[in-house]
Amino acid sequence: MAYLQSMPKSETIKLREKHIGAACQLFFRSSPLKIVRGIAQFMYDESGERYLDCINNVAHVGHCHPHVVEAGRNQMSLISTNNRYLHDELVILAKRLVRTMPGPLSVCFFVNSGSEANDLALRLARIHTKRKDVITLDHAYHGHLTSMIEVSPYKLNLPGGPEKPEWVHVAPVPDVYRGKYTYPKDSKSEEELGKMYADEVGKLCRLAESNGRGVCAFIAESLQSCGGQIIPPHGYLSNTYKHVREAGGVCIADEVQVGFGRVGTHMWAFETQDVVPDIVTVGKPMGNGHPVAAVITTPEIAKSFADTGVEYFNTYGGNPVSCAIANAVLDVIEEERLMERAFRVGNHLLARCESLKHRHRLVGDVRGRGLFVGVELVTDKEKRTPATAEAKHVINRMREEKILISRDGPDSNVLKFKPPMVFSTQDADRLVDTLDRVLAELDGTRISNMTLEVRVTPLDDTSDKDVLRSNAQQAMKAI
Amino acid sequence: MAYLQSMPKSETIKLREKHIGAACQLFFRSSPLKIVRGIAQFMYDESGERYLDCINNVAHVGHCHPHVVEAGRNQMSLISTNNRYLHDELVILAKRLVRTMPGPLSVCFFVNSGSEANDLALRLARIHTKRKDVITLDHAYHGHLTSMIEVSPYKLNLPGGPEKPEWVHVAPVPDVYRGKYTYPKDSKSEEELGKMYADEVGKLCRLAESNGRGVCAFIAESLQSCGGQIIPPHGYLSNTYKHVREAGGVCIADEVQVGFGRVGTHMWAFETQDVVPDIVTVGKPMGNGHPVAAVITTPEIAKSFADTGVEYFNTYGGNPVSCAIANAVLDVIEEERLMERAFRVGNHLLARCESLKHRHRLVGDVRGRGLFVGVELVTDKEKRTPATAEAKHVINRMREEKILISRDGPDSNVLKFKPPMVFSTQDADRLVDTLDRVLAELDGTRISNMTLEVRVTPLDDTSDKDVLRSNAQQAMKAI
């Protein structure tokens, strides 16, 4: 069934090229998708073609969940104004959010995006500690704002990216597969690896102290997503937080991508590491697509902010519609027991992906928590050489199979799964079965590069070149 | 008629105190309003009491406009995903927005708030000019983000506010009533005053050049709102832009508060000054309460950004729901001819306010464009001494009369009117008639302080003290 469009796709593309900044990039650039409909874990293009959505963590409780749509519609027709007036939806949301957090985290600030939340978190940390130096993880991404790019090596590391400010200190990613300390090379004990990585943050704390300024804050996603779906070793965050606090800094947990039950065992990913942050930022899944986010902190830090006497006013932040929608998302998470589902389906997905590791030459590592899963592709399992071009090829092939996945990590070689939480075991099976098939196609490419060349010809132009270049290089080595 | 509440007001207040950061301040702090319903230019509290809303410029086409609510509801139930996929609503909105702007402004970036828009504008200017120095107006406010507070003297000037970075240069506000150059003291020609103020920006351009860095951008609201409803003298922006461009900088027009037809004669306030900015930011009214904002710039500046190779991704920015809502707001502005209405009703309001000037000792200046009006209260018309306490008293008295107005400006003595654009001449009459009465009460206070003391006793505690202190001081002087 084709859907009603305002204009043919070619016209949409033409207008987009003319009127939307080219820095806003399309997914599948040479042949982008026009998505006109979403239901639960599925998205539909203009021709009615259905895609299994394995990447849209924003559509947390499923695309267009009727309870959320209804809540938005109701509140939109009643009132939407700023939080200089009292409103029940605002305080109910605050109370419910706080109830999911450990005790000291009891004061909320509502904003419109994860970027705004992280910006405010850093501002709170600065005001509270009266310091500026920030420790961030390599390859971390905390948002698109000027203040966030400064602490996002994901952007700073790019060739055209801005320069790293000298008050930003970059700690190594606690990646035990391809990071500074790996398993089993540097240690067979997860705890020890956790300590080794935490000690790196400790060193940076002392560096910040030695420059006479001291550390203001440590900011990190509880599980690093853009960095490549990283699951830090046990004890990493607890030891890191200890170092930071001993140095007088505060600890910020960025839960924008990984919060709201995605990890399956807990509502917040920091809980899997047994820590209590000083400031938590939440966003993306919070409004199931509606722009709403929040900062949750301790009464002490909130008081430091209020004590400046400077008002914090965010025009749309905490407006009744945003709050009603966020409350509805919490309703669905509870009523449909989505956290338990993320645990059950996530474990199934993880186990099935694990089996791919033994069957395919490209699958180097499989890791995850709940419905946050990464499959790292390598061209050499021993050397753990990133299979960047192959990962791009897989994404494109999966799209042909009507399954949307993406890739990330500093070498863009980690397949990333973070589907809406209504994802089912059947969906997981379809995802893994298809991936199995696509990887099998690639298993033969070392032997027959020519076969692959023919195979990928109809695909994305750029993809072709990358894969062909990589294959050519391998062939050269073989010769 | 009382409205259904989730909890009594006292409980809402208790929860708010416990769970919402105290830096988020309530309007009428000692006796805040609980607003549960909005229709057109009216807001209703929990007891069903109706207030005439003269300040909510966000509810541009009227609170809960059915066409906007419907557009939001429809799109929410179809799809809301990020702009890495094609969507018609996005490109239609871009095309429509661009059509309202002068030629060179043809490329859009969609974001979630005016703050995000201004942050991106500054980032674009920096990338394009490869410079950092920014010229901003005194008392300007451009947003709540770290990067925006740096260029917002409105916050920097506060006792507890952060320090001004040395790359920020503050130009005097082109306020011909109480600014650096005033009418008629410094000149009787508006054009000449415009030039004098513009020359101040020229001086700062040369200062920025002399430090070897040069000027990156000049950022200003086309009409300054938080600064005190300032209408710059004719020729101000054109001469200012000339200075900035000669120095190699770009000109950013912040239309977040004053755009979308509010000024009555034009869609954008910069048009009243006959200039074409290099970058325009729009926000607040754009979604009639829904978090959506945008940056519109030239193809050259957008290209400089794209050429860095760094992707700009804003999770919710330009999502189909935000765009559908913004398109619906544009529909209503057009179909209900709200710009013309702003012109007609605004002129009526302005003329009626003007008449107050001659009748009340406190009314020093009346100024405005369309439905953007300021009434500056002074205790001494010759010296133009700000009547801060009196302005606060007026706000509180008007609230008793069920009319919501606010005050602004560096001395918080400017009564601010920026109602939803559906405001009628009858509403304007009610506003001015009531204000007339409230000002008349105050006219007598120089003679009889005791009368006033009895009169204001039941009001806001803080207000009492301020007014009493001011009265006491006047009485002392009289003795």
Side-chain angles (χ1 to χ4, degrees):
Chain A
M1 183 196 95
Y3 284 102
L4 216 66
Q5 304 173 76
S6 300
M7 62 190 87
K9 186 170 165 179
S10 57
E11 179 70 13
T12 315
I13 293 175
K14 229 174 72 190
L15 276 178
R16 172 145 178 155
E17 278 168 0
K18 197 168 169 194
H19 294 308
I20 302 291
C24 304
Q25 297 174 2
L26 285 162
F27 198 26
F28 306 115
R29 239 183 296 178
S30 58
S31 165
L33 283 172
K34 182 168 178 177
I35 294 294
V36 300
R37 189 81 182 82
I39 303 171
Q41 65 273 50
F42 298 103
M43 301 212 293
Y44 299 78
D45 70 12
E46 78 288 358
S47 68
E49 197 69 73
R50 191 176 86 161
Y51 293 84
L52 177 63
D53 184 355
C54 305
I55 40 176
N56 210 324
N57 59 331
V58 174
H60 196 63
V61 300
H63 287 282
C64 304
H65 194 291
H67 181 63
V68 178
V69 172
E70 190 58 18
R73 186 185 74 102
N74 274 354
Q75 191 56 52
M76 276 173 70
S77 55
L78 286 172
I79 182 73
S80 182
T81 188
N82 65 65
N83 72 32
R84 279 181 181 144
Y85 301 105
L86 295 166
H87 200 279
D88 289 344
E89 290 290 342
L90 173 79
V91 298
I92 289 170
L93 176 60
K95 188 180 165 186
R96 289 178 76 176
L97 264 183
V98 156
R99 215 167 42 195
T100 67
M101 300 255 169
L105 295 162
S106 62
V107 184
C108 303
F109 294 87
F110 291 102
V111 297
N112 307 301
S113 66
S115 290
E116 283 192 1
N118 282 332
D119 179 85
L120 178 57
L122 221 50
R123 201 173 149 202
L124 289 171
R126 291 231 168 94
I127 288 169
H128 187 69
T129 63
K130 298 188 177 63
R131 294 173 178 179
K132 188 166 191 180
D133 287 40
V134 174
I135 300 173
T136 186
L137 295 186
D138 204 6
H139 312 304
Y141 177 65
H142 295 291
H144 54 73
L145 297 167
T146 308
S147 62
M148 287 300 109
I149 290 167
E150 289 177 338
V151 298
S152 295
Y154 185 71
K155 295 283 178 185
L156 297 172
N157 293 345
L158 290 175
E163 217 177 316
K164 179 184 83 61
E166 56 91 32
W167 49 264
V168 173
H169 309 281
V170 179
V173 193
D175 170 3
V176 299
Y177 182 67
R178 288 213 309 123
K180 182 167 183 176
Y181 307 116
T182 58
Y183 176 93
K185 189 171 74 69
D186 299 293
S187 175
K188 280 193 176 175
S189 146
E190 206 189 320
E191 298 255 330
E192 201 180 351
L193 285 167
K195 262 204 155 126
M196 288 161 89
Y197 275 113
D199 285 346
E200 293 282 331
V201 176
K203 271 188 235 166
L204 292 175
C205 289
R206 286 187 292 282
L207 179 71
E209 276 165 1
S210 72
N211 67 21
R213 293 195 306 252
V215 65
C216 160
F218 168 78
I219 183 168
E221 286 186 279
S222 308
L223 306 175
Q224 206 179 27
S225 37
C226 289
Q229 307 286 94
I230 305 298
I231 312 295
H234 196 72
Y236 172 65
L237 275 189
S238 55
N239 283 301
T240 295
Y241 279 21
K242 219 173 125 203
H243 285 302
V244 174
R245 281 167 177 159
E246 279 171 7
V250 301
C251 299
I252 304 171
D254 178 341
E255 293 271 338
V256 170
Q257 295 224 37
V258 294
F260 287 96
R262 176 161 297 278
V263 295
T265 48
H266 301 82
M267 187 69 165
W268 308 107
F270 65 76
E271 295 176 284
T272 64
Q273 286 265 329
D274 284 325
V275 292
V276 179
D278 303 297
I279 304 174
V280 178
T281 57
V282 301
K284 291 190 197 289
M286 186 171 174
N288 212 45
H290 182 88
V292 58
V295 177
I296 301 99
T297 189
T298 63
E300 290 70 32
I301 292 176
K303 186 175 180 302
S304 295
F305 192 27
D307 285 349
T308 63
V310 179
E311 179 188 11
Y312 179 74
F313 179 63
N314 186 312
T315 301
Y316 311 122
N319 73 73
V321 173
S322 293
C323 293
I325 286 177
N327 275 319
V329 169
L330 288 176
D331 289 345
V332 180
I333 293 174
E334 286 167 23
E335 283 162 24
E336 299 186 8
R337 306 173 69 87
L338 292 182
M339 194 166 90
E340 290 88 327
R341 186 185 181 102
F343 182 74
R344 197 181 69 238
V345 179
N347 279 350
H348 177 77
L349 174 63
L350 210 51
R352 291 239 27 217
C353 285
E354 191 65 33
S355 74
L356 296 178
K357 207 161 76 178
H358 310 295
R359 293 226 308 283
H360 300 287
R361 64 168 186 98
L362 284 170
V363 181
D365 192 37
V366 170
R367 52 188 178 253
R369 290 268 182 286
L371 283 171
F372 178 85
V373 171
V375 173
E376 181 144 9
L377 302 189
V378 292
T379 51
D380 183 319
K381 289 199 186 189
E382 192 113 346
K383 294 186 194 144
R384 304 183 180 180
T385 319
T388 304
E390 289 79 357
K392 187 167 188 179
H393 175 79
V394 168
I395 304 294
N396 285 321
R397 274 290 291 120
M398 293 296 279
R399 178 236 167 123
E400 289 187 323
E401 304 291 333
K402 316 297 176 216
I403 296 177
L404 301 175
I405 63 173
S406 67
R407 61 187 181 135
D408 224 317
D411 295 297
S412 305
N413 68 317
V414 183
L415 305 180
K416 191 158 88 163
F417 310 142
K418 40 173 190 139
M421 303 266 284
V422 290
F423 210 65
S424 69
T425 47
Q426 289 86 334
D427 297 324
D429 285 338
R430 183 179 156 209
L431 166 61
V432 180
D433 289 343
T434 313
L435 185 60
D436 195 4
R437 210 148 31 82
V438 169
L439 287 169
E441 293 165 9
L442 284 171
D443 284 338
T445 58
R446 269 202 295 202
I447 304 142
S448 163
N449 279 313
M450 283 312 290
T451 318
L452 181 71
E453 193 175 357
V454 174
R455 165 97 214 89
V456 298
T457 304
L459 294 184
D460 175 15
D461 290 347
T462 341
S463 167
D464 290 1
K465 279 180 228 144
D466 280 358
V467 174
L468 291 176
R469 196 175 301 121
S470 155
N471 289 336
Q473 280 165 355
Q474 283 176 38
M476 297 258 281
K477 275 185 212 155
I479 299 161
Chain B
M1 184 196 93
Y3 284 102
L4 216 66
Q5 302 174 76
S6 299
M7 61 190 87
K9 184 170 166 178
S10 57
E11 179 68 14
T12 314
I13 293 175
K14 229 175 73 189
L15 276 178
R16 172 145 178 153
E17 278 168 0
K18 198 167 168 194
H19 294 310
I20 302 292
C24 304
Q25 296 174 4
L26 284 162
F27 197 27
F28 306 114
R29 238 183 298 178
S30 58
S31 165
L33 283 171
K34 182 168 179 177
I35 294 295
V36 301
R37 188 80 182 83
I39 302 171
Q41 65 272 52
F42 298 103
M43 300 213 294
Y44 299 78
D45 72 10
E46 78 288 357
S47 68
E49 196 70 73
R50 190 176 88 159
Y51 293 84
L52 178 62
D53 184 355
C54 305
I55 41 175
N56 210 324
N57 59 331
V58 175
H60 197 63
V61 301
H63 288 281
C64 303
H65 194 291
H67 180 65
V68 178
V69 172
E70 190 58 19
R73 187 186 73 103
N74 274 354
Q75 192 54 53
M76 278 174 70
S77 56
L78 285 172
I79 183 72
S80 183
T81 188
N82 64 64
N83 71 33
R84 278 181 181 144
Y85 301 105
L86 295 166
H87 201 278
D88 289 343
E89 290 290 343
L90 173 78
V91 298
I92 290 171
L93 177 60
K95 188 179 164 187
R96 290 178 77 175
L97 263 183
V98 157
R99 217 169 39 195
T100 67
M101 301 255 170
L105 295 161
S106 62
V107 184
C108 304
F109 294 87
F110 291 102
V111 298
N112 307 300
S113 66
S115 290
E116 284 193 359
N118 282 332
D119 180 85
L120 178 57
L122 220 49
R123 202 174 148 202
L124 289 171
R126 292 231 167 92
I127 287 168
H128 187 69
T129 63
K130 297 188 177 66
R131 295 174 178 178
K132 189 167 190 181
D133 287 39
V134 174
I135 300 173
T136 186
L137 295 186
D138 204 7
H139 313 305
Y141 178 67
H142 295 291
H144 55 73
L145 296 167
T146 308
S147 62
M148 286 300 110
I149 291 167
E150 288 177 338
V151 297
S152 296
Y154 186 70
K155 294 284 178 185
L156 296 172
N157 293 344
L158 291 174
E163 216 177 317
K164 179 185 83 62
E166 57 91 32
W167 49 264
V168 173
H169 309 281
V170 180
V173 192
D175 171 2
V176 299
Y177 181 67
R178 287 214 308 123
K180 183 167 182 176
Y181 306 115
T182 58
Y183 176 93
K185 190 169 75 62
D186 298 293
S187 174
K188 279 192 178 177
S189 146
E190 207 188 322
E191 298 255 330
E192 199 180 353
L193 284 168
K195 263 205 154 125
M196 288 161 89
Y197 274 113
D199 285 346
E200 293 281 331
V201 176
K203 272 188 234 165
L204 293 175
C205 288
R206 286 187 291 281
L207 178 72
E209 275 164 2
S210 73
N211 67 21
R213 293 193 307 252
V215 64
C216 161
F218 167 77
I219 183 169
E221 287 185 279
S222 308
L223 306 175
Q224 205 179 28
S225 36
C226 289
Q229 306 288 94
I230 304 298
I231 312 295
H234 195 72
Y236 173 65
L237 275 189
S238 54
N239 283 300
T240 296
Y241 278 23
K242 219 174 124 201
H243 285 303
V244 173
R245 282 168 177 158
E246 278 171 8
V250 300
C251 300
I252 303 171
D254 177 342
E255 292 271 337
V256 171
Q257 295 224 36
V258 294
F260 287 96
R262 176 161 297 277
V263 295
T265 48
H266 301 82
M267 187 69 166
W268 309 106
F270 65 76
E271 295 176 284
T272 64
Q273 288 264 328
D274 283 325
V275 292
V276 178
D278 303 298
I279 305 174
V280 177
T281 57
V282 301
K284 291 190 198 288
M286 186 171 174
N288 212 44
H290 182 88
V292 58
V295 178
I296 301 99
T297 189
T298 63
E300 291 69 35
I301 293 177
K303 185 175 181 303
S304 295
F305 191 27
D307 284 349
T308 63
V310 179
E311 181 188 11
Y312 179 74
F313 179 64
N314 185 312
T315 302
Y316 310 122
N319 73 73
V321 173
S322 293
C323 293
I325 286 176
N327 275 320
V329 170
L330 287 176
D331 290 343
V332 180
I333 293 175
E334 285 166 26
E335 284 162 22
E336 300 187 7
R337 306 172 69 87
L338 291 182
M339 195 166 90
E340 290 88 327
R341 187 187 181 101
F343 181 74
R344 198 180 68 236
V345 178
N347 278 351
H348 178 77
L349 174 62
L350 209 51
R352 291 238 30 216
C353 285
E354 191 65 34
S355 74
L356 296 177
K357 206 162 78 176
H358 310 295
R359 294 226 307 281
H360 299 287
R361 64 169 186 97
L362 284 170
V363 181
D365 192 37
V366 170
R367 52 187 178 254
R369 289 268 183 286
L371 283 171
F372 177 85
V373 172
V375 173
E376 180 144 11
L377 301 189
V378 291
T379 52
D380 183 319
K381 289 199 185 188
E382 192 113 347
K383 294 186 194 143
R384 304 182 179 181
T385 320
T388 305
E390 288 79 357
K392 186 167 188 177
H393 175 78
V394 168
I395 304 294
N396 285 321
R397 274 290 291 120
M398 293 296 280
R399 178 237 167 120
E400 288 186 325
E401 303 292 334
K402 317 297 176 215
I403 296 177
L404 301 175
I405 63 173
S406 68
R407 60 188 181 134
D408 224 315
D411 295 297
S412 304
N413 67 317
V414 182
L415 305 180
K416 189 158 89 163
F417 310 141
K418 40 172 190 139
M421 303 265 284
V422 291
F423 210 66
S424 68
T425 46
Q426 289 86 337
D427 297 325
D429 284 337
R430 184 178 155 209
L431 166 61
V432 181
D433 289 343
T434 314
L435 186 59
D436 195 5
R437 208 147 34 81
V438 169
L439 287 169
E441 293 166 10
L442 284 171
D443 285 338
T445 57
R446 271 203 294 200
I447 304 140
S448 162
N449 280 314
M450 285 310 291
T451 317
L452 181 72
E453 192 176 356
V454 174
R455 165 98 212 85
V456 298
T457 304
L459 294 186
D460 174 16
D461 291 347
T462 340
S463 168
D464 291 1
K465 279 180 229 145
D466 280 358
V467 174
L468 291 176
R469 195 174 302 121
S470 154
N471 289 335
Q473 279 164 355
Q474 284 176 36
M476 296 260 281
K477 276 185 209 155
I479 298 160

